[in-house]
Amino acid sequence: MAESSRPTTPPTRSDAPRRPGPPELSSAQKLMVFVLSMTLFGLANIVTEVIPEVRVGPVEVGVSYLAFVPVIMVALFNPLYAALGAPLGEVVFVDLLMGDFSGIGELEGYLQMFLGLYIAGCLVRDPRSPRQLFAAGAVVVIVDKMLSAVVDIAKVSVGVDDAEFVPGLPQSILLLEGIDFVVALLVSGILFGALPAMALAPRLYGKIEPLLGLAPRDPGHPMPLAQRGTAAFMLLALFLSFVSMIAAFTSEIFDNFGVWEPDFIEQYGDRFLWIGASAALIVLVALAVAVRFVLASRRARAAQGSHGPDAQNTGERR
Amino acid sequence: MRKERDGISVEWVKLELLRTAYATRGGLLAARDPRFVIGWYLIFAVVPWFTHNITVLAALFTVCAAAVFLSRVGPLVLGLFVIGFVLESLYVLFAAWLFGGDMSTVLALVVLTLKLATISLASMAAFVSLDPEKLSDGLLSMHAPAMLSFGVSYGYRMLPVLMEEFHTVVDGHRLRSAPLAAKGFLGWRVVVRTATTLVQAFYPLMLNTAKRTRTTVEALETKGFTYAAEHPDGRRIRLAHLRADHRDVLLIAVTLLLVAASFALGHAYPLQAGVG
């Protein structure tokens, strides 16, 4: 255990060229980043609970979360562990402790937030750059809300018989989702996400990492290109799945296609091909990402296996 | 005791939050084995999606509402749920009307609302009364990541400390800053000041929490925390206290019976919301 819980040595010049990415974390450091991110976002969520909200109809003009806290975490620390921890903080501190746990719905929220944060964290190369922090803050909310819109629309289309034929239903759902998206992007994403992160992250940079025994993120050695590429791909895939979902949902509205018949290619023409192609692309990209991730984690595990006998117990799982 | 409650003070809000988090919980499902409670919830989370029959959905809804009543869910949580659902439905209804909906739109919305409300009620009945540590042990026994149960235990102990610290930091900020000269239109200056104080308070808090986290994690790792969490023996010892008895089985059996009865009822008196 002593072997793996000792803080990794700071990136010495000799091993920098061998590993293009940031230094590998020990299992204790992964746990630290995870717990820190969880605790802080949990606390932020409790604070959010206290802040009053203005409701206009179903649209909440309020702070749905203080996004700057996890954005700073993923910008400064390893994005994977920080992004895994932050949404768990919300689940644990607010939902479980305050008795507001909603079962499967929590899983949905967790995954949305995790993906958003992870992508945002991989986009930040230098935590001192305001531009990258701004992008990160916006990306978190965009991904989160886009996914939640997809889930909501899926719920309607599964839950209601032939939802796209019910007059007025698809438009109203889309309208609601649209308003929600814009409000969340402005309030949670920019006002309480990007702007505070731009103010705080550069000040914390270089101060908070040594407290955990970590080296600050080095812009000269960014996340490996593969990882950043993966983030961009994921973003594209999410966007495409979003677009295809909307397209599939609204295709019935704009053109009166009538019933679903075997000769749909003639009826739906190019649009259907587009949806099919984007669906195939999404599956392909997801597969590639999954394989890549599995390979990477296997490699990491193998690398740790050479260090000590407790290689498979280092929290790589999950 | 000093005079208080002239208006809602921060202290009062803090106490109220802690009371919510640490109140003793009880009720029908709280005493049951958490694994069976999760199973109970999953039945009601999955079944509503398989039907569009309003009679079945209404019956399921009634069962869940009875379960919520028996679980003694607090009025606050219940009230928020009802208000949220009513507002949401009204707004969707209004928007649907705006885009030219008719009776079938209303029926379709009733179906959707019943489904979502049934699932929410089931989750309330199952999880509001259940002790968080018990719930996390139940999830752990279903091979949820060990981090989840660690998070619950950690959060349970750290919550008061963290809130206290946050309050101290915010108070320090307020002491050091001059009072606002004017509130501004609709008190916008107050809003801006509060928001900036909130954000700034996180700066020292992040540094302090980082230090504390390192201490905690290093202490944990010295005792082999990660190893114990993932080793089968550690898991076994941890979950040894979970015991299911015949009443848990009875719970599931009665639930399945009720679900079957709902479907039988729906078959006998179908009320379908369709376009046809």
Side-chain angles (χ1 to χ4, degrees):
Chain A
M1 212 60 227
E3 185 72 27
S4 67
S5 64
R6 194 176 57 201
T8 30
T9 46
T12 47
R13 301 293 155 260
S14 62
D15 69 60
R18 192 166 51 84
R19 285 197 57 83
E24 196 71 22
L25 300 185
S26 73
S27 79
Q29 286 167 333
K30 287 174 193 164
L31 191 62
M32 274 178 215
V33 172
F34 181 90
V35 170
L36 178 65
S37 165
M38 178 185 86
T39 319
L40 284 174
F41 194 46
L43 183 70
N45 269 292
I46 287 183
V47 174
T48 332
E49 290 283 293
V50 180
I51 299 175
E53 281 163 349
V54 184
R55 279 187 79 99
V56 183
V59 181
E60 248 179 48
V61 184
V63 195
S64 41
Y65 38 75
L66 298 178
F68 74 93
V69 175
V71 166
I72 291 174
M73 288 295 120
V74 292
L76 292 175
F77 299 113
N78 184 316
L80 178 61
Y81 296 97
L84 280 174
L88 187 67
E90 183 181 357
V91 173
V92 166
F93 278 74
V94 179
D95 302 331
L96 276 175
L97 292 183
M98 298 288 156
D100 191 19
F101 188 70
S102 61
I104 298 177
E106 298 295 340
L107 196 65
E108 168 197 323
Y110 182 91
L111 289 178
Q112 288 164 11
M113 199 68 204
F114 162 68
L115 268 181
L117 284 173
Y118 181 61
I119 293 172
C122 289
L123 290 176
V124 176
R125 252 169 313 154
D126 182 4
R128 286 165 296 191
S129 142
R131 207 147 30 93
Q132 290 174 12
L133 287 168
F134 186 87
V139 160
V140 169
V141 175
I142 289 174
V143 171
D144 182 34
K145 287 294 162 187
M146 231 157 68
L147 284 174
S148 89
V150 168
V151 171
D152 284 347
I153 291 173
K155 268 183 198 160
V156 173
S157 59
V158 172
V160 178
D161 222 357
D162 297 326
E164 56 271 43
F165 294 113
V166 177
L169 186 59
Q171 292 97 324
S172 40
I173 299 287
L174 283 183
L175 178 75
L176 271 191
E177 293 296 335
I179 295 176
D180 188 41
F181 184 85
V182 172
V183 171
L185 184 61
L186 285 180
V187 178
S188 303
I190 308 292
L191 280 181
F192 283 92
L195 295 181
M198 281 153 68
L200 288 184
R203 292 184 203 170
L204 285 166
Y205 179 77
K207 288 203 187 73
I208 195 169
E209 296 94 339
L211 292 177
L212 297 188
L214 296 165
R217 187 176 286 196
D218 184 359
H221 297 278
M223 294 277 116
L225 199 64
Q227 223 164 335
R228 280 165 41 72
T230 312
F233 257 129
M234 269 164 135
L235 203 62
L236 187 70
L238 288 176
F239 180 70
L240 280 178
S241 65
F242 181 67
V243 168
S244 69
M245 185 71 90
I246 301 280
F249 197 58
T250 51
S251 61
E252 313 290 337
I253 308 167
F254 297 123
D255 317 55
N256 293 315
F257 282 138
V259 286
W260 188 273
E261 279 171 6
D263 54 339
F264 49 77
I265 294 284
E266 287 136 54
Q267 291 198 15
Y268 287 70
D270 293 343
R271 182 183 286 107
F272 182 80
L273 285 179
W274 262 110
I275 294 173
S278 59
L281 189 68
I282 288 162
V283 171
L284 201 70
V285 169
L287 206 68
V289 169
V291 167
R292 192 156 220 165
F293 186 73
V294 168
L295 281 181
S297 73
R298 197 171 287 175
R299 219 177 316 135
R301 216 173 294 176
Q304 278 173 349
S306 59
H307 284 304
D310 54 347
Q312 68 271 48
N313 305 318
T314 42
E316 192 60 46
R317 213 175 292 162
R318 162 71 219 187
Chain B
M1 197 167 167
R2 87 195 155 82
K3 204 167 58 166
E4 53 190 342
R5 296 266 180 97
D6 35 352
I8 298 176
S9 67
V10 178
E11 195 66 29
W12 180 78
V13 171
K14 210 169 69 180
L15 278 177
E16 209 45 37
L17 282 175
L18 286 179
R19 207 169 293 151
T20 322
Y22 295 92
T24 11
R25 309 170 189 207
L28 171 73
L29 293 168
R32 299 274 68 80
D33 185 284
R35 290 167 292 180
F36 280 81
V37 176
I38 295 170
W40 182 89
Y41 160 73
L42 284 179
I43 292 177
F44 282 107
V46 170
V47 163
W49 297 107
F50 291 130
T51 177
H52 296 293
N53 188 322
I54 291 183
T55 319
V56 178
L57 289 173
L60 291 174
F61 179 83
T62 318
V63 172
C64 284
V68 166
F69 180 72
L70 289 174
S71 314
R72 289 187 256 159
V73 173
L76 179 70
V77 179
L78 209 57
L80 282 180
F81 161 77
V82 170
I83 294 172
F85 254 100
V86 168
L87 279 179
E88 182 97 359
S89 314
L90 277 183
Y91 195 79
V92 177
L93 219 56
F94 172 73
W97 171 77
L98 201 69
F99 289 110
D102 52 13
M103 200 55 204
S104 64
T105 317
V106 176
L107 276 181
L109 283 175
V110 167
V111 170
L112 186 66
T113 312
L114 270 179
K115 280 179 191 180
L116 295 178
T118 306
I119 295 166
S120 298
L121 282 177
S123 74
M124 258 199 266
F127 301 127
V128 168
S129 57
L130 207 59
D131 183 40
E133 301 219 270
K134 213 171 151 183
L135 176 58
S136 74
D137 277 347
L139 289 172
L140 192 64
S141 76
M142 297 171 142
H143 294 273
M147 274 300 118
L148 179 71
S149 80
F150 167 70
V152 171
S153 311
Y154 186 75
Y156 221 41
R157 278 139 191 84
M158 294 310 282
L159 183 66
V161 181
L162 283 169
M163 275 165 62
E164 197 61 49
E165 184 168 345
F166 186 73
H167 192 192
T168 314
V169 172
V170 169
D171 273 351
H173 261 279
R174 289 174 59 198
L175 279 174
R176 273 179 275 128
S177 54
L180 287 169
K183 286 193 172 177
F185 178 65
L186 283 176
W188 69 270
R189 279 176 213 276
V190 182
V191 175
V192 170
R193 169 68 72 87
T194 315
T196 35
T197 310
L198 269 184
V199 170
Q200 284 168 348
F202 267 92
Y203 177 74
L205 207 68
M206 280 175 172
L207 294 169
N208 284 353
T209 315
K211 266 198 283 189
R212 184 180 298 135
T213 306
R214 185 172 190 184
T215 316
T216 311
V217 169
E218 281 182 345
L220 278 171
E221 287 298 306
T222 317
K223 293 188 169 190
F225 170 77
T226 312
Y227 182 77
E230 301 196 352
H231 197 277
D233 282 346
R235 246 178 66 93
R236 196 174 43 74
I237 295 169
R238 217 192 144 93
L239 299 177
H241 71 97
L242 291 179
R243 290 222 189 292
D245 59 9
H246 62 278
R247 277 178 298 181
D248 295 315
V249 181
L250 195 68
L251 173 76
I252 296 293
V254 169
T255 306
L256 287 177
L257 210 65
L258 283 174
V259 170
S262 307
F263 273 90
L265 196 71
H267 199 67
Y269 307 99
L271 180 56
Q272 198 86 23
V275 277

